[in-house]
Amino acid sequence: MGWTADSDRGSVMEVVVDLGTAEVALHQPDDLQRFAVRAVSHRTDGGAADGPATTALASLTAALREHDIGRVDPDGTVFIPPDTVRTLAARAATNAGGQLPAEWETNFASMLEFAVSKGWIASDGAMAAHIEWSDA
């Protein structure tokens, strides 16, 4: 469920969660075509991401909860409220020394409309995103 990332198609707006530090940031806020959550693991055992997969998922869930970013459903889909994405996008722009372009909100609204048409918005209005697992 949710937007799919395709590295051959360029950047992806993604909520990046560092499972080692529980830090959360939005990368590529200007890409309003694709949306994902990337969980960055710190492998210490030569293979398993922070232990068994259930531990990594628990770490992701805890980090999202700690920062009031969103929730993880039992099927592994992350749901993030649009206002949270707006806040993270504004923070990312500020951290980069600028601000969001004037048309960002209009384009984001179009993204949400598309998501509604695909069934990627939960009953509470949160946006669905798949999880991409990666190593630090």
Side-chain angles (χ1 to χ4, degrees), residues 13 26-33 35 81-90 92-93 99-112 127:
M13 179 168 50
L26 186 70
H27 291 197
Q28 305 300 329
D30 294 333
D31 185 333
L32 297 167
Q33 301 299 311
F35 183 63
D83 283 344
T84 300
V85 175
R86 287 181 180 97
T87 299
L88 291 171
Q99 58 185 0
L100 291 173
E103 68 276 4
W104 190 90
E105 182 59 40
T106 300
N107 294 339
F108 185 61
S110 295
M111 178 184 188
L112 293 173
M127 303 165 55

Side-chain angles (χ1 to χ4, degrees), residues 15-25 37-44 48-64 66-67 72 78 131-136:
V15 176
V16 178
V17 181
D18 185 313
L19 299 182
T21 64
E23 291 181 25
V24 178
V37 170
R38 181 163 44 105
V40 180
S41 171
H42 297 270
R43 291 184 175 207
T44 58
D50 292 339
T54 55
T55 303
L57 190 58
S59 295
L60 174 61
T61 300
L64 293 175
E66 176 183 337
H67 294 284
V72 181
V78 176
I131 303 167
E132 297 178 355
W133 301 96
S134 67
D135 296 327

